[in-house]
């Protein structure tokens, strides 16, 4: 990833995390999904402007998990398999594995109807955490090249969040996956290879967690404000963008 959150945004085998307080984070995420076109600049995937790619083909390589996941009327199974080719070999095995990785399989199998349980309109029969886990399973089963996480673990407890984060990272290794993460918790950023700190729409700092702390600049101020495991939300006019390779 040569330049991030500047005029050109490159999607390659990286993990990009954005501790978000500003709309810039979600705007960039929506532009990456091609929900709308950027007013200026370009987003490149393998050095190709994503607006030049076939939209269905491009989106077939992307999974998005948002803070408020979209759950549709129907069964748990149909919600997770949404957009998955029904002729996929061993689809049930893949379904169960994704749910195990999202820490939702045990809950589903404890229900009388299991994966055939109706969730109701907008998943009214599920808690916020259960909805988010289902959305995470839906993202993982697609084995995406680009995984977009917009506060994807905000409704999970800290222990489950760490485990799900580990699954995201482990499942992407060796697959050339780009992971873009929008999160308030700075702890999500710390393990990244490279962190880009964005202030006023510009990249003002770049480096890994230790290097940025050594600069004692904007990132250091963000971490210092919430030193307790860097897990709190911060109040600042800056965002940090981090990236880590999955080789």
């Amino acid at each position: 990833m040569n330049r991030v959150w500047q005029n050109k945004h490159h999607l390659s085998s990286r993990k990009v995390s954005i501790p978000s307080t500003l709309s810039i984070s979600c705007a960039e995420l929506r532009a990456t999904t091609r929900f709308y076109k950027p007013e200026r600049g370009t987003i490149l995937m393998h050095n190709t402007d994503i607006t030049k790619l076939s939209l269905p083909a491009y989106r077939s390589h992307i999974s998005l998990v948002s803070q408020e996941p979209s759950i549709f009327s129907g069964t748990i199974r149909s919600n997770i398999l949404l957009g998955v080719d029904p002729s996929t070999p061993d689809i049930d095995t893949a379904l169960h594995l994704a749910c195990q990785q999202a820490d939702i399989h045990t809950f589903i199998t404890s229900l009388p109807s299991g994966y055939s349980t109706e969730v109701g309109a907008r998943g009214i029969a599920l808690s916020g955490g259960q909805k988010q886990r289902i959305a995470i399973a839906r993202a993982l089963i697609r084995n995406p090249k680009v995984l977009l996480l917009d506060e994807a673990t905000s409704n999970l407890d800290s222990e489950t969040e760490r485990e799900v984060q580990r699954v995201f990272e482990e499942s992407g290794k060796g697959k050339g996956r780009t992971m873009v993460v929008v999160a308030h918790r700075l702890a999500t950023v710390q393990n990244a290879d490279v962190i880009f700190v964005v202030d006023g729409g510009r990249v003002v700092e770049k480096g890994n967690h230790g290097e940025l702390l050594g600069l004692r600049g904007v990132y250091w101020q963000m971490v210092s404000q919430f030193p307790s495991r860097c897990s709190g939300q911060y109040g600042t006019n800056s965002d940090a963008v981090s990236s880590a390779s999955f080789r």
Side-chain angles (χ1 to χ4, degrees):
M1 188 173 294
N2 299 320
R3 292 191 290 174
V4 181
W5 267 246
Q6 299 180 47
N7 289 332
K8 290 186 178 180
H9 314 318
H10 295 251
L11 297 180
S12 56
S13 305
R14 316 289 278 177
K15 172 187 173 185
V16 179
S17 300
I18 310 166
S20 65
T21 57
L22 302 178
S23 60
I24 182 175
S25 306
C26 294
E28 295 282 0
L29 211 59
R30 298 298 182 264
T32 302
T33 60
R34 288 182 60 183
F35 287 157
Y36 59 79
K37 292 183 179 180
E39 293 182 0
R40 59 182 181 273
T42 56
I43 300 174
L44 306 179
M45 187 173 192
H46 301 303
N47 293 318
T48 301
D49 186 340
I50 63 172
T51 63
K52 307 299 183 183
L53 302 173
S54 162
L55 184 57
Y58 173 70
R59 285 185 174 165
S60 71
H61 295 294
I62 293 179
S63 286
L64 169 66
V65 184
S66 61
Q67 184 176 14
E68 296 296 333
S70 297
I71 303 296
F72 305 95
S73 181
T75 65
I76 292 175
R77 177 188 175 87
S78 65
N79 268 276
I80 297 172
L81 294 180
L82 189 67
V84 176
D85 186 345
S87 64
T88 301
D90 299 321
I91 193 167
D92 284 336
T93 300
L95 172 65
H96 294 166
L97 176 60
C99 289
Q100 288 167 358
Q101 292 175 330
D103 195 26
I104 191 69
H105 176 74
T106 300
F107 164 73
I108 295 173
T109 55
S110 72
L111 299 172
S113 299
Y115 281 84
S116 297
T117 300
E118 295 283 339
V119 299
R122 298 185 179 180
I124 193 172
L126 303 171
S127 69
Q130 290 162 354
K131 291 178 186 178
Q132 216 158 27
R133 287 182 175 89
I134 286 175
I136 290 169
R138 179 197 296 157
L140 290 173
I141 198 172
R142 290 164 55 84
N143 193 23
K145 291 295 184 183
V146 180
L147 180 57
L148 307 175
L149 307 175
D150 182 4
E151 296 284 6
T153 57
S154 60
N155 287 326
L156 305 180
D157 60 81
S158 297
E159 183 177 351
T160 302
E161 181 188 32
R162 286 194 296 270
E163 178 60 23
V164 170
Q165 185 68 28
R166 184 193 64 78
V167 167
F168 283 144
E169 295 178 358
E170 290 293 328
S171 64
K173 284 184 177 179
K175 297 181 180 179
R177 177 178 296 167
T178 298
M179 189 161 71
V180 181
V181 184
V182 177
H184 277 93
R185 293 168 180 156
L186 288 175
T188 306
V189 177
Q190 293 180 12
N191 293 330
D193 294 333
V194 182
I195 302 169
F196 294 84
V197 181
V198 181
D199 191 8
R202 290 183 171 273
V203 175
V204 296
E205 293 176 356
K206 172 185 174 182
N208 60 33
H209 176 71
E211 291 168 345
L212 290 178
L213 288 180
L215 293 177
R216 299 180 69 86
V218 177
Y219 183 81
W220 176 82
Q221 293 175 357
M222 294 161 64
V223 173
S224 298
Q225 187 171 355
F226 292 91
S228 178
R229 300 172 62 184
C230 297
S231 60
Q233 296 183 2
Y234 55 86
T236 175
N237 290 326
S238 301
D239 289 344
V241 182
S242 71
S243 93
S245 300
F246 294 124
R247 303 297 183 186

